[in-house]
Amino acid sequence: MGRGKVFPAARARSLVNPLRRLVQSPTRTVAAMALPADGLVLELGSGPGFFSSSIAEAVPAGHVVLVDLQTEMLDHARRRLMHRPGISLVGADAMQLPFNAGQFDVAIVATMLGEVPDRDTCLAEVRRVLRDRGVLAVAETRRDSDFISLAQLRALVEAHGFQFAGRRGVAWQYVARFRSG
Ligand SMILES: C[S@@+](CC[C@H](N)C(=O)[O-])C[C@H]1O[C@@H](n2cnc3c(N)ncnc32)[C@H](O)[C@@H]1O
């Protein structure tokens, strides 16, 4: 994978390879996000849904909206998640989200931001669709060629009026939380 390129849908299976669970547990990653049980959650760049089941389990009284640029990725996610209630799938570009302002309690961006050509436009859109005092949770791993260090991430995100609310994990694989407003 080249840096800054959209992860090809033809390689979607590698994202849900069971071995990945050993090094980046979806359950532990999502637990680090501290999601509200009744939250309306936006998962940007969901791909085939590696984290999505754990996200849905963490918000049993809420709802999760998966967004991806590639419909093939959402097709994979649909097949994996069709038995689960409380999940919707939307094909869209993270730089132009088809949602109203202030709609979501939480936005999740997992190993995706580095693929977006204009991260500032994407983060402005995330800020727009989050309610005040909403949460942006970003998961990054150095196993991804588009890895963003915490220092780089904070500079990017805090420029959009988010406040850093803490990091879980280690420098090479972490979840960072930010509050909007
Ligand atoms: C490396 S994959 C990660 C998928 C998933 N988050 C995971 O960790 O398994 C990145 C995903 O982001 C999607 N993506 C890249 N750029 C995007 C954009 N501008 N808008 C929406 N999705 C995008 C890709 O199609 C791909 O499915």
Side-chain angles (χ1 to χ4, degrees):
M1 280 294 304
R3 272 190 76 79
K5 299 247 170 61
V6 174
F7 193 97
R11 291 188 48 211
R13 281 203 171 76
S14 69
L15 293 171
V16 291
N17 184 323
L19 290 177
R20 183 179 176 195
R21 294 178 166 274
L22 301 177
V23 287
Q24 194 179 25
S25 155
T27 315
R28 280 199 298 275
T29 303
V30 171
M33 296 173 181
L35 303 178
D38 60 351
L40 178 56
V41 178
L42 173 66
E43 185 190 5
L44 278 183
S46 65
F50 179 70
F51 292 108
S52 312
S53 293
S54 300
I55 295 169
E57 275 164 22
V59 295
H63 194 91
V64 188
V65 179
L66 276 58
V67 166
D68 204 284
L69 194 57
Q70 303 182 84
T71 51
E72 300 94 318
M73 286 293 197
L74 293 174
D75 291 342
H76 281 282
R78 191 174 287 110
R79 283 193 290 275
R80 286 169 55 82
L81 303 166
M82 57 201 255
H83 59 287
R84 284 201 171 275
I87 294 183
S88 310
L89 294 87
V90 175
D93 188 330
M95 295 182 292
Q96 195 173 7
L97 292 171
F99 304 116
N100 294 332
Q103 210 177 315
F104 291 94
D105 299 302
V106 181
I108 294 173
V109 180
T111 67
M112 175 268 190
L113 193 59
E115 294 184 17
V116 178
D118 185 342
R119 294 164 199 173
D120 281 318
T121 299
C122 174
L123 289 166
E125 276 293 82
V126 170
R127 177 66 192 89
R128 182 183 68 77
V129 302
L130 272 180
R131 68 168 169 80
D132 285 343
R133 305 296 295 160
V135 169
L136 166 62
V138 181
E140 285 287 329
T141 175
R142 202 177 273 288
R143 293 176 61 252
D144 180 6
S145 55
D146 295 312
F147 175 74
I148 299 174
S149 71
L150 181 63
Q152 292 170 316
L153 182 73
R154 284 191 62 170
L156 274 169
V157 172
E158 289 171 18
H160 290 271
F162 287 93
Q163 282 144 28
F164 181 56
R167 180 200 84 176
R168 297 279 292 276
V170 291
W172 59 270
Q173 183 165 287
Y174 66 86
V175 171
R177 292 175 84 250
F178 298 86
R179 281 220 173 265
S180 63

